[in-house]
PDB file of all heavy atoms in Angstrom:
ATOM      1  N   VAL A 200    -106.001 109.126  -8.824  1.00  0.00           N
ATOM      2  CA  VAL A 200    -105.526 107.747  -8.780  1.00  0.00           C
ATOM      3  C   VAL A 200    -105.014 107.445  -7.374  1.00  0.00           C
ATOM      4  O   VAL A 200    -104.534 108.338  -6.664  1.00  0.00           O
ATOM      5  CB  VAL A 200    -104.429 107.520  -9.853  1.00  0.00           C
ATOM      6  CG1 VAL A 200    -103.286 108.518  -9.701  1.00  0.00           C
ATOM      7  CG2 VAL A 200    -103.895 106.093  -9.824  1.00  0.00           C
ATOM      8  N   ASP A 201    -105.095 106.189  -7.021  1.00  0.00           N
ATOM      9  CA  ASP A 201    -104.536 105.701  -5.772  1.00  0.00           C
ATOM     10  C   ASP A 201    -103.049 106.091  -5.725  1.00  0.00           C
ATOM     11  O   ASP A 201    -102.312 105.833  -6.680  1.00  0.00           O
ATOM     12  CB  ASP A 201    -104.703 104.170  -5.766  1.00  0.00           C
ATOM     13  CG  ASP A 201    -104.309 103.561  -4.435  1.00  0.00           C
ATOM     14  OD1 ASP A 201    -103.721 104.281  -3.601  1.00  0.00           O
ATOM     15  OD2 ASP A 201    -104.578 102.362  -4.241  1.00  0.00           O
ATOM     16  N   ALA A 202    -102.639 106.696  -4.605  1.00  0.00           N
ATOM     17  CA  ALA A 202    -101.251 107.187  -4.510  1.00  0.00           C
ATOM     18  C   ALA A 202    -100.236 106.094  -4.821  1.00  0.00           C
ATOM     19  O   ALA A 202     -99.207 106.350  -5.454  1.00  0.00           O
ATOM     20  CB  ALA A 202    -101.010 107.751  -3.110  1.00  0.00           C
ATOM     21  N   ALA A 203    -100.526 104.875  -4.410  1.00  0.00           N
ATOM     22  CA  ALA A 203     -99.582 103.779  -4.605  1.00  0.00           C
ATOM     23  C   ALA A 203     -99.343 103.480  -6.081  1.00  0.00           C
ATOM     24  O   ALA A 203     -98.341 102.863  -6.448  1.00  0.00           O
ATOM     25  CB  ALA A 203    -100.087 102.527  -3.892  1.00  0.00           C
ATOM     26  N   ARG A 204    -100.265 103.872  -6.940  1.00  0.00           N
ATOM     27  CA  ARG A 204    -100.140 103.563  -8.368  1.00  0.00           C
ATOM     28  C   ARG A 204    -100.000 104.829  -9.221  1.00  0.00           C
ATOM     29  O   ARG A 204    -100.082 104.775 -10.452  1.00  0.00           O
ATOM     30  CB  ARG A 204    -101.345 102.735  -8.815  1.00  0.00           C
ATOM     31  CG  ARG A 204    -101.567 101.532  -7.894  1.00  0.00           C
ATOM     32  CD  ARG A 204    -102.254 100.403  -8.567  1.00  0.00           C
ATOM     33  NE  ARG A 204    -101.487  99.843  -9.668  1.00  0.00           N
ATOM     34  CZ  ARG A 204    -101.911  98.825 -10.412  1.00  0.00           C
ATOM     35  NH1 ARG A 204    -103.076  98.275 -10.161  1.00  0.00           N
ATOM     36  NH2 ARG A 204    -101.182  98.368 -11.400  1.00  0.00           N
ATOM     37  N   ALA A 205     -99.740 105.934  -8.553  1.00  0.00           N
ATOM     38  CA  ALA A 205     -99.674 107.216  -9.259  1.00  0.00           C
ATOM     39  C   ALA A 205     -98.541 107.243 -10.283  1.00  0.00           C
ATOM     40  O   ALA A 205     -98.691 107.801 -11.378  1.00  0.00           O
ATOM     41  CB  ALA A 205     -99.504 108.356  -8.263  1.00  0.00           C
ATOM     42  N   ALA A 206     -97.414 106.639  -9.933  1.00  0.00           N
ATOM     43  CA  ALA A 206     -96.246 106.709 -10.812  1.00  0.00           C
ATOM     44  C   ALA A 206     -96.531 106.047 -12.158  1.00  0.00           C
ATOM     45  O   ALA A 206     -96.088 106.534 -13.205  1.00  0.00           O
ATOM     46  CB  ALA A 206     -95.039 106.053 -10.139  1.00  0.00           C
ATOM     47  N   GLU A 207     -97.290 104.948 -12.140  1.00  0.00           N
ATOM     48  CA  GLU A 207     -97.611 104.259 -13.396  1.00  0.00           C
ATOM     49  C   GLU A 207     -98.443 105.156 -14.303  1.00  0.00           C
ATOM     50  O   GLU A 207     -98.225 105.238 -15.510  1.00  0.00           O
ATOM     51  CB  GLU A 207     -98.398 102.957 -13.111  1.00  0.00           C
ATOM     52  CG  GLU A 207     -97.627 101.936 -12.274  1.00  0.00           C
ATOM     53  CD  GLU A 207     -98.565 100.877 -11.683  1.00  0.00           C
ATOM     54  OE1 GLU A 207     -99.220 100.163 -12.473  1.00  0.00           O
ATOM     55  OE2 GLU A 207     -98.640 100.774 -10.442  1.00  0.00           O
ATOM     56  N   VAL A 208     -99.420 105.819 -13.700  1.00  0.00           N
ATOM     57  CA  VAL A 208    -100.303 106.697 -14.471  1.00  0.00           C
ATOM     58  C   VAL A 208     -99.538 107.923 -14.973  1.00  0.00           C
ATOM     59  O   VAL A 208     -99.667 108.350 -16.129  1.00  0.00           O
ATOM     60  CB  VAL A 208    -101.520 107.108 -13.620  1.00  0.00           C
ATOM     61  CG1 VAL A 208    -102.336 108.193 -14.311  1.00  0.00           C
ATOM     62  CG2 VAL A 208    -102.391 105.880 -13.342  1.00  0.00           C
ATOM     63  N   TRP A 209     -98.710 108.477 -14.099  1.00  0.00           N
ATOM     64  CA  TRP A 209     -97.867 109.614 -14.495  1.00  0.00           C
ATOM     65  C   TRP A 209     -97.015 109.237 -15.716  1.00  0.00           C
ATOM     66  O   TRP A 209     -96.947 109.997 -16.683  1.00  0.00           O
ATOM     67  CB  TRP A 209     -96.978 110.048 -13.333  1.00  0.00           C
ATOM     68  CG  TRP A 209     -95.905 111.031 -13.707  1.00  0.00           C
ATOM     69  CD1 TRP A 209     -94.654 110.749 -14.176  1.00  0.00           C
ATOM     70  CD2 TRP A 209     -95.991 112.467 -13.676  1.00  0.00           C
ATOM     71  NE1 TRP A 209     -93.961 111.915 -14.433  1.00  0.00           N
ATOM     72  CE2 TRP A 209     -94.752 112.982 -14.134  1.00  0.00           C
ATOM     73  CE3 TRP A 209     -96.988 113.372 -13.300  1.00  0.00           C
ATOM     74  CZ2 TRP A 209     -94.491 114.351 -14.228  1.00  0.00           C
ATOM     75  CZ3 TRP A 209     -96.715 114.734 -13.395  1.00  0.00           C
ATOM     76  CH2 TRP A 209     -95.494 115.216 -13.855  1.00  0.00           C
ATOM     77  N   ASP A 210     -96.384 108.045 -15.660  1.00  0.00           N
ATOM     78  CA  ASP A 210     -95.489 107.647 -16.752  1.00  0.00           C
ATOM     79  C   ASP A 210     -96.225 107.601 -18.088  1.00  0.00           C
ATOM     80  O   ASP A 210     -95.718 108.070 -19.096  1.00  0.00           O
ATOM     81  CB  ASP A 210     -94.854 106.277 -16.459  1.00  0.00           C
ATOM     82  CG  ASP A 210     -93.759 106.382 -15.395  1.00  0.00           C
ATOM     83  OD1 ASP A 210     -93.291 107.507 -15.135  1.00  0.00           O
ATOM     84  OD2 ASP A 210     -93.400 105.330 -14.817  1.00  0.00           O
ATOM     85  N   VAL A 211     -97.415 107.027 -18.079  1.00  0.00           N
ATOM     86  CA  VAL A 211     -98.192 106.925 -19.320  1.00  0.00           C
ATOM     87  C   VAL A 211     -98.540 108.324 -19.841  1.00  0.00           C
ATOM     88  O   VAL A 211     -98.315 108.655 -21.002  1.00  0.00           O
ATOM     89  CB  VAL A 211     -99.480 106.103 -19.092  1.00  0.00           C
ATOM     90  CG1 VAL A 211    -100.385 106.174 -20.323  1.00  0.00           C
ATOM     91  CG2 VAL A 211     -99.129 104.651 -18.763  1.00  0.00           C
ATOM     92  N   LEU A 212     -99.070 109.136 -18.959  1.00  0.00           N
ATOM     93  CA  LEU A 212     -99.488 110.481 -19.378  1.00  0.00           C
ATOM     94  C   LEU A 212     -98.285 111.361 -19.731  1.00  0.00           C
ATOM     95  O   LEU A 212     -98.339 112.156 -20.672  1.00  0.00           O
ATOM     96  CB  LEU A 212    -100.326 111.143 -18.273  1.00  0.00           C
ATOM     97  CG  LEU A 212    -101.696 110.513 -18.032  1.00  0.00           C
ATOM     98  CD1 LEU A 212    -102.335 111.068 -16.759  1.00  0.00           C
ATOM     99  CD2 LEU A 212    -102.626 110.735 -19.233  1.00  0.00           C
ATOM    100  N   TYR A 213     -97.211 111.191 -18.995  1.00  0.00           N
ATOM    101  CA  TYR A 213     -96.004 111.987 -19.258  1.00  0.00           C
ATOM    102  C   TYR A 213     -95.445 111.667 -20.642  1.00  0.00           C
ATOM    103  O   TYR A 213     -95.121 112.568 -21.415  1.00  0.00           O
ATOM    104  CB  TYR A 213     -94.942 111.719 -18.180  1.00  0.00           C
ATOM    105  CG  TYR A 213     -93.667 112.491 -18.409  1.00  0.00           C
ATOM    106  CD1 TYR A 213     -93.519 113.789 -17.929  1.00  0.00           C
ATOM    107  CD2 TYR A 213     -92.599 111.925 -19.120  1.00  0.00           C
ATOM    108  CE1 TYR A 213     -92.361 114.519 -18.165  1.00  0.00           C
ATOM    109  CE2 TYR A 213     -91.445 112.646 -19.371  1.00  0.00           C
ATOM    110  CZ  TYR A 213     -91.329 113.943 -18.881  1.00  0.00           C
ATOM    111  OH  TYR A 213     -90.178 114.666 -19.140  1.00  0.00           O
ATOM    112  N   ASP A 214     -95.362 110.369 -20.947  1.00  0.00           N
ATOM    113  CA  ASP A 214     -94.794 109.977 -22.249  1.00  0.00           C
ATOM    114  C   ASP A 214     -95.662 110.483 -23.400  1.00  0.00           C
ATOM    115  O   ASP A 214     -95.154 110.956 -24.410  1.00  0.00           O
ATOM    116  CB  ASP A 214     -94.636 108.454 -22.333  1.00  0.00           C
ATOM    117  CG  ASP A 214     -93.515 107.957 -21.421  1.00  0.00           C
ATOM    118  OD1 ASP A 214     -92.704 108.806 -20.968  1.00  0.00           O
ATOM    119  OD2 ASP A 214     -93.454 106.741 -21.159  1.00  0.00           O
ATOM    120  N   LEU A 215     -96.974 110.379 -23.224  1.00  0.00           N
ATOM    121  CA  LEU A 215     -97.875 110.854 -24.284  1.00  0.00           C
ATOM    122  C   LEU A 215     -97.799 112.373 -24.424  1.00  0.00           C
ATOM    123  O   LEU A 215     -97.813 112.913 -25.530  1.00  0.00           O
ATOM    124  CB  LEU A 215     -99.317 110.422 -23.989  1.00  0.00           C
ATOM    125  CG  LEU A 215     -99.606 108.925 -24.175  1.00  0.00           C
ATOM    126  CD1 LEU A 215    -100.952 108.570 -23.545  1.00  0.00           C
ATOM    127  CD2 LEU A 215     -99.585 108.550 -25.647  1.00  0.00           C
TER     128      LEU A 215
END
Side-chain angles (χ1 to χ4, degrees):
Chain A
V200 55
D201 187 349
R204 309 206 63 180
E207 298 163 61
V208 171
W209 169 273
D210 285 343
V211 172
L212 292 170
Y213 179 87
D214 289 345
L215 288 167

